[in-house]
Amino acid sequence: MESKSQFFDLTEKYFAQQAALYGNDFYLDVGLSSSDQPETLDEFYQQIKNCQKCRLSQSRKGLVFGTGNPNAKLMCIGEGPGYDEDQQGEPFVGAAGQLLNRILASIGFARDEVYIANIVKCRPPGNRNPESDEVAECMPYLKRQVEMIRPSLILALGKVAGQNLLGLNESIAGLRGRVHMFDGVKVLVTYHPAALLRTPQWKRATWEDIQKLREIYDRDVGDKPPLNKS
Ligand code: SF4
């Protein structure tokens, strides 16, 4: 860094860019003091399960924290709970969840081997997209989960998940097919399983995306037996 003023200029630009993307309440504060930082995901869930930081708390049945292996190497992140997820308190249940399970199985992952979460933890009414201020309030929780789990790879499911995770305003076509980063973790983006149920023509592209995911996983982690391609 050449000078202090250059450092402050860059810092100011960074915060201005983040505020433009996420609003002024963006991702720094998880709302926990250093003395009550959770040590386990369950402790973290207990701390936030009654969260009312955004308006989504008013219409939810319950907060959908996330599920799966706390030491997962692969994390799947969707957009937000739907009706079934809100009722059952678990992400990706119902038809879209079953399709996600089959997608994961096709590259050798069982559902309970990965960790599954969403950008927002409470159901947006009528399954609308989460608003940017809701995402800004909830994102510190997801960041904390990623910090605690430390996956090697993240699969973002759908445009809304990809855009909000990466702070990019691109189409799914623009987000797919390349490796992004989120807090030092590699991210691939593919179609949301619910979108695949509506538009089966996108299955081919999804298949290509998850083959790429498995290739990167094999290169970076390499703890899985070869896929049976027959
Ligand atoms: S969506 Fe997130 S920030 Fe909003 S109430 Fe639910 S847990 Fe809290």
Side-chain angles (χ1 to χ4, degrees), residues 48 51-57 60 63 120-122 134 137-138 141:
I48 70 167
C51 174
Q52 299 190 350
K53 283 206 296 170
C54 83
R55 67 183 78 78
L56 297 181
S57 63
R60 72 177 179 220
L63 179 150
V120 290
K121 302 201 177 302
C122 303
E134 296 158 356
E137 292 291 2
C138 213
Y141 296 153

Side-chain angles (χ1 to χ4, degrees), residues 24-80:
N24 286 326
D25 293 332
F26 67 105
Y27 309 164
L28 290 178
D29 179 17
V30 186
L32 302 173
S33 71
S34 55
S35 60
D36 55 11
Q37 290 296 330
E39 294 202 349
T40 64
L41 288 169
D42 192 49
E43 245 177 69
F44 189 27
Y45 168 67
Q46 296 301 329
Q47 285 178 350
I48 70 167
K49 67 182 181 187
N50 297 317
C51 174
Q52 299 190 350
K53 283 206 296 170
C54 83
R55 67 183 78 78
L56 297 181
S57 63
Q58 292 159 22
S59 50
R60 72 177 179 220
K61 178 170 182 242
L63 179 150
V64 180
F65 180 74
T67 189
N69 177 2
N71 301 309
K73 302 278 195 310
L74 174 62
M75 209 168 154
C76 298
I77 298 178
E79 141 187 357

